[in-house]
Amino acid sequence: MKRGMRLLPTAAMRQCTATAEVAFTELLIAILAGQKRVTGEDCEDAPATARCELGLWHEGEHADYVWDWREHKPHEGLWARWTPDGTMRFESLRHCEISDGSDDEEACMLYRHHPREHSWALRDPKTDALRRRVLAEGAGVIERLSSKPN
């Protein structure tokens, strides 16, 4: 991360919930164009569905990080970008890497010049739902354990 690229965290915003089917053949072509070789083991990590990682009510295309270039392009990742009608394309984009300004220096995991909030300021609705369920179930267990026997 470059000096002076710190931002103060903002209130968490919900993540977009848009999804789209990933065409495996097109994804494989995009991967091969970027790194020339793919193993069968690599293909196990290829997603069947893309889920937008941007902030809710963002402008423009939806986007999901679908492939880590690793040593081939260490400062970029392959992103699936799609329109509301489901038209998808793949694009290699540089990482945003802007820090949240905390002691942990959590860097944004989205692509450079993305719309809306950085990844560290987004809440995943699936994680929120799981957290609520666990807390609700845990409250019932705690209540049963802490209640006085008759």
Side-chain angles (χ1 to χ4, degrees):
M1 186 186 75
K2 294 180 182 173
R3 278 184 89 111
M5 291 184 67
R6 289 181 167 212
L7 295 178
L8 295 175
T10 58
M13 173 181 219
R14 288 193 59 200
Q15 181 179 329
C16 181
T17 58
T19 60
E21 185 177 326
V22 175
F24 181 74
T25 303
E26 284 81 8
L27 174 59
L28 189 57
I29 290 168
I31 293 167
L32 287 169
Q35 68 184 42
K36 308 296 184 227
R37 179 168 93 61
V38 180
T39 67
E41 188 175 297
D42 289 338
C43 291
E44 292 174 8
D45 295 333
T49 304
R51 185 165 163 247
C52 187
E53 296 185 39
L54 302 174
L56 197 58
W57 304 301
H58 62 83
E59 293 180 8
E61 297 174 312
H62 298 289
D64 187 18
Y65 184 81
V66 293
W67 193 259
D68 183 356
W69 292 121
R70 295 179 185 90
E71 68 276 355
H72 302 287
K73 299 178 184 182
H75 300 289
E76 294 182 18
L78 185 63
W79 288 79
R81 312 265 316 261
W82 71 98
T83 57
D85 69 0
T87 302
M88 184 175 286
R89 64 188 175 92
F90 298 96
E91 187 174 4
S92 187
L93 299 168
R94 290 188 64 80
H95 303 305
C96 176
E97 298 179 343
I98 290 179
S99 170
D100 67 352
S102 70
D103 291 339
D104 296 335
E105 293 275 334
E106 184 178 348
C108 178
M109 303 301 288
L110 299 173
Y111 55 89
R112 190 174 285 174
H113 306 299
H114 59 83
R116 307 234 10 149
E117 288 71 22
H118 295 285
S119 62
W120 35 259
L122 296 173
R123 288 188 348 255
D124 181 348
K126 284 188 175 184
T127 303
D128 284 350
L130 177 62
R131 183 181 298 118
R132 284 191 301 275
R133 187 173 132 219
V134 167
L135 288 173
E137 290 173 2
V141 169
I142 292 171
E143 185 178 337
R144 285 193 301 275
L145 292 174
S146 61
S147 64
K148 294 181 181 180
N150 291 337

